[in-house]
Amino acid sequence: MKTVTGRYGRKPANGSYPSQMQRQLRGGQAGKRYAQRAQAETVMSILKRNLGDCLRTRTTHRREIEMRLKVLTHNITIIRY
């Protein structure tokens, strides 16, 4: 019998959506879209915390260059330590 852990404990999964949700959540989240999103948000948070949250340049082209330099700096610090 399939069960889904909910707010009030374990109860049988009825319907197709809870069963589908249970199948998708089985096992690790590695390689799944949510895990990738969480990892991207973590990296952006680290970048903002360590290198500042604003870009000082004005044009779009220069902002892209500045962001790439921040990412390069971040990657070098990771490799270094």
Side-chain angles (χ1 to χ4, degrees):
M1 175 177 266
K2 297 178 182 179
T3 58
V4 175
T5 302
R7 184 174 178 183
Y8 302 107
R10 297 178 69 84
K11 59 183 182 178
N14 53 354
S16 64
Y17 181 72
S19 299
Q20 178 185 3
M21 184 172 60
Q22 185 178 18
R23 275 194 311 273
Q24 288 179 353
L25 293 177
R26 192 176 301 137
Q29 293 291 323
K32 302 224 171 125
R33 286 186 179 191
Y34 182 77
Q36 292 173 357
R37 176 182 173 190
Q39 185 177 11
E41 288 182 4
T42 300
V43 170
M44 287 304 295
S45 173
I46 292 170
L47 278 170
K48 287 181 177 183
R49 186 175 61 240
N50 293 338
L51 302 174
D53 62 342
C54 64
L55 299 175
R56 290 168 174 43
T57 55
R58 294 184 182 195
T59 64
T60 305
H61 179 68
R62 293 291 182 183
R63 284 179 178 263
E64 289 175 6
I65 292 172
E66 186 177 355
M67 190 62 204
R68 288 176 193 224
L69 288 173
K70 283 189 176 194
V71 170
L72 181 66
T73 304
H74 170 72
N75 289 340
I76 290 171
T77 56
I78 289 176
I79 292 171
R80 190 172 175 197
Y81 295 107

